[in-house]
Amino acid sequence: MASTSMQILAFILALLGVLGATVATLLPNWKVSADVGSNIITAISQMQGLWMDCTWYSTGMFSCTLKYSVLSLPAYLQTARSAMVLSCVLATLGLCLATLGLKCARWGGGQRAKGRAALASGSCFVLAGVLCLVPASWFTNEVITSFLDSNVPESSKFEPGGAVYVAFVSAGLLLAAGLIFCASCPGKRDGAQELTISPADKLLQQQIHQQQLIQQAEYSLQDYV
């Protein structure tokens, strides 16, 4: 069973993962214009995210355009949107359950209830990590494939942006936190350990039981007299 300090570490990792996944979802730099060929002398930088496209002009102006139409977006972008939002929701739910499953917390019920809460929160973190990892990987694959395609003009080539790396790191943090919380759930082995009694404890229990029997006999004798 994981110690209390490991649970606290997992909670901190999960909190950082939730913040990272949320930031990655909102950032507009999932892919940025690549500085290749004639693009090197171009004084305009373009960024594309899940929700908006932004352009940085040579004059210092910065403008963004929201992607209102969902059906016009490619499949990998639609999937990335849905998966990242679900990842943030599940990770937030996992944080709420984790506060109940922490051993150091006084709320959340007994050890069995805390174990179930820890297992539920760990499952939410693992699912959130997978949902964050899949769109980041798919998005990166699409960007690299388009970059290596010779039919795509150099002015339209992009490379993975900072938001993708934030999503990868957040997915790793959520997966690590989820595994720790799942390991902190008491299983059959822990139950067997709780039921196992050492010989010294057995002897002490026998002595206590004998003393109780003697006291009961004395009380019965006194009542009889």
Side-chain angles (χ1 to χ4, degrees):
M1 179 181 289
S3 63
T4 303
S5 58
M6 290 297 293
Q7 274 196 335
I8 296 176
L9 174 62
F11 186 83
I12 295 174
L13 294 177
L15 182 60
L16 293 176
V18 172
L19 293 176
T22 304
V23 170
T25 304
L26 299 177
L27 282 177
N29 60 336
W30 276 69
K31 61 179 181 179
V32 296
S33 56
D35 295 332
V36 293
S38 60
N39 246 10
I40 298 178
I41 61 176
T42 303
I44 298 178
S45 178
Q46 295 180 348
M47 297 183 297
Q48 294 184 11
L50 303 181
W51 311 97
M52 64 182 69
D53 297 337
C54 298
T55 304
W56 189 282
Y57 298 96
S58 58
T59 57
M61 297 182 61
F62 186 78
S63 64
C64 294
T65 304
L66 293 176
K67 299 178 179 180
Y68 293 103
S69 178
V70 178
L71 298 179
S72 63
L73 300 176
Y76 74 92
L77 193 55
Q78 296 182 21
T79 304
R81 274 187 174 187
S82 304
M84 291 302 296
V85 171
L86 287 176
S87 176
C88 294
V89 172
L90 279 176
T92 304
L93 176 61
L95 279 179
C96 297
L97 294 173
T99 57
L100 301 177
L102 288 174
K103 299 177 184 178
C104 60
R106 296 184 178 180
W107 55 82
Q111 292 299 321
R112 180 173 298 180
K114 285 182 176 293
R116 292 176 179 174
L119 179 61
S121 63
S123 302
C124 288
F125 290 143
V126 171
L127 289 176
V130 172
L131 287 174
C132 186
L133 181 63
V134 169
S137 302
W138 192 0
F139 198 99
T140 303
N141 179 69
E142 291 292 335
V143 173
I144 294 177
T145 302
S146 177
F147 183 87
L148 298 178
D149 191 356
S150 58
N151 296 324
V152 177
E154 294 180 350
S155 59
S156 301
K157 289 183 180 295
F158 290 86
E159 57 187 7
V164 176
Y165 301 107
V166 174
F168 277 119
V169 174
S170 302
L173 294 175
L174 290 172
L175 289 174
L179 293 177
I180 295 176
F181 269 108
C182 288
S184 68
C185 177
K188 295 182 179 180
R189 183 178 61 182
D190 298 328
Q193 290 177 355
E194 292 178 357
L195 295 176
T196 302
I197 304 176
S198 63
D201 294 336
K202 288 183 179 180
L203 180 61
L204 181 61
Q205 289 182 358
Q206 290 177 359
Q207 293 176 354
I208 295 174
H209 183 63
Q210 290 176 359
Q211 291 178 359
Q212 291 176 351
L213 291 177
I214 294 173
Q215 291 177 356
Q216 290 178 0
E218 291 177 352
Y219 293 150
S220 300
L221 183 60
Q222 291 176 359
D223 295 339
Y224 179 75
V225 174

